[in-house]
Amino acid sequence: MTLHQLLNEGTDALVRAGDPEAKLDARRLLLEAFHLDTVHFLMNRMQQLEQTEAVRKAVCDYHCMIKKRCRRVPLQHIVGNQDFMGLTFKVNRHVLIPRQDTETLVETVLEEQKDRKKKVLDICTGSGCIAVSLAVLGGYEDVTATDLSPEALRLAKENAERLLDGSRRFRLLQGDLFEPVHETYDIITANPPYIPTEIIKELQPEVRDYEPAMALDGDEDGLGFYRRIVGEAQAYMNPGGSIYLEIGYDQGEAVTGLLEKAGFRNIRIIKDAPGLDRVVRGEGGCYV
Ligand code: GLN
């Protein structure tokens, strides 16, 4: 038996299960089971595997992981992590798996906000991917993140402890949106749940069956959280503060309208890598 054969076997099983990324996923799981990097895999894939206890265990782990993936358990839940902004975040079933889409939000903030002294608030933080990557890559000295889910916050705490060096103020607060917040901020970010309730059942099984509904479900029209966030945000912003919201590809106009109505200025929609509307930013910080 060779690694190459194991890869083909796993790929075939995943194709039959409808995995759209069968080959890539099988390879990732094989590397994970054998604790191999790509270079060693490519060098050794045609060699007969030795009959050691360690190899037997790796083969068994691999089969077990392929079986899970055949049930459409997300790859990230099987391996336990996901890369985001070049950092590795732990994930589990209590948080939304960080998406490349959300890197657009982080990149926009990093581009527009160079002052490290600015205070950052991230609501609906989940795994903490936005808050932690802003703290690490933007160097912001004071970052607060909130989430309603205590399980999500536990994971965000683990990610923060692993990825941050403790030289800055990083706080996690449990509560509904702004409920646990008692200070004002210069930058507010959020990737709230924004999928219309009816659409959730049409999503891929990985998302629909394994990711938390509370991180996806944006009420009947998908805009429920934006109404609340935009309505309350001004009260938590310093003068000249900015807000950055991730949105669904077809929500740019609606969220822009909400920001305008709440008195935000310089509102702009930013597109993601595939060219879809993905972030809306605006400036507020004074009452109108
Ligand atoms: N972008 C995610 C998806 O399409 C949804 C994220 C969200 O609701 N905040 O699965």
Side-chain angles (χ1 to χ4, degrees):
M1 188 175 36
T2 65
L3 290 171
H4 182 71
Q5 283 167 342
L6 283 171
L7 177 62
N8 287 342
E9 223 177 75
T11 303
D12 290 347
L14 293 182
V15 167
R16 284 194 299 274
D19 176 358
E21 300 281 5
K23 188 158 188 191
L24 275 177
D25 287 358
R27 182 156 147 169
R28 173 78 200 272
L29 295 176
L30 189 66
L31 298 191
E32 189 75 19
F34 280 82
H35 307 291
L36 273 178
D37 57 39
T38 306
V39 174
H40 285 91
F41 163 71
L42 291 173
M43 275 167 33
N44 300 326
R45 75 198 143 134
M46 296 303 182
Q47 281 170 21
Q48 284 301 319
L49 289 163
E50 290 170 35
Q51 290 296 315
T52 63
E53 194 46 46
V55 167
R56 260 193 294 277
K57 180 173 183 314
V59 172
C60 179
D61 287 350
Y62 175 64
H63 284 146
C64 175
M65 289 194 271
I66 290 285
K67 263 194 205 137
K68 278 193 192 165
R69 190 70 193 101
C70 284
R71 297 202 309 270
R72 305 296 292 271
V73 174
L75 185 80
Q76 296 88 341
H77 286 182
I78 302 172
V79 300
N81 59 61
Q82 169 67 33
D83 283 358
F84 179 84
M85 294 301 295
L87 304 166
T88 301
F89 286 84
K90 276 188 141 187
V91 297
N92 62 26
R93 64 193 169 83
H94 299 295
V95 301
L96 190 79
I97 298 165
R99 314 283 209 257
Q100 203 184 354
D101 301 339
T102 308
E103 294 188 340
T104 307
L105 187 152
V106 174
E107 282 162 2
T108 306
V109 176
L110 294 176
E111 244 168 66
E112 293 189 358
Q113 305 285 347
K114 307 281 189 205
D115 181 357
R116 296 173 170 234
K117 296 245 175 302
K118 286 198 172 169
K119 280 174 69 182
V120 180
L121 172 66
D122 178 45
I123 52 178
C124 309
T125 202
S127 65
C129 65
I130 294 176
V132 173
S133 55
L134 284 176
V136 174
L137 304 170
Y140 304 108
E141 288 163 12
D142 188 328
V143 178
T144 300
T146 77
D147 204 287
L148 181 57
S149 156
E151 291 90 357
L153 282 178
R154 216 168 294 137
L155 191 72
K157 184 164 183 270
E158 262 187 64
N159 283 321
E161 281 170 356
R162 217 163 23 82
L163 295 166
L164 288 167
D165 61 10
S167 66
R168 53 180 74 72
R169 186 174 186 220
F170 187 93
R171 279 170 309 161
L172 291 161
L173 306 173
Q174 194 265 326
D176 192 15
L177 303 183
F178 294 101
E179 180 193 55
V181 180
H182 302 290
E183 293 181 17
T184 54
Y185 292 83
D186 304 300
I187 300 168
I188 295 179
T189 60
N191 174 18
Y194 58 67
I195 311 281
T197 309
E198 275 301 299
I199 303 288
I200 292 186
K201 60 176 185 292
E202 295 166 23
L203 300 175
Q204 292 168 338
E206 284 85 350
V207 182
R208 184 192 63 211
D209 300 338
Y210 295 99
E211 292 201 83
M214 79 180 271
L216 295 166
D217 191 338
D219 291 346
E220 210 177 316
D221 64 354
L223 299 170
F225 285 89
Y226 300 113
R227 287 194 193 92
R228 293 180 55 202
I229 292 168
V230 170
E232 294 174 36
Q234 296 267 24
Y236 298 92
M237 276 177 124
N238 289 330
S242 307
I243 189 164
Y244 297 84
L245 299 170
E246 178 169 325
I247 54 160
Y249 71 97
D250 56 355
Q251 294 172 326
E253 206 178 304
V255 175
T256 298
L258 291 173
L259 286 165
E260 275 169 359
K261 221 169 106 196
F264 284 85
R265 302 173 310 271
N266 298 329
I267 301 163
R268 202 157 51 82
I269 298 174
I270 294 110
K271 292 189 187 300
D272 60 15
L276 300 171
D277 289 354
R278 188 56 64 195
V279 173
V280 182
R281 55 90 70 211
E283 286 162 27
C286 59
Y287 293 96
V288 287

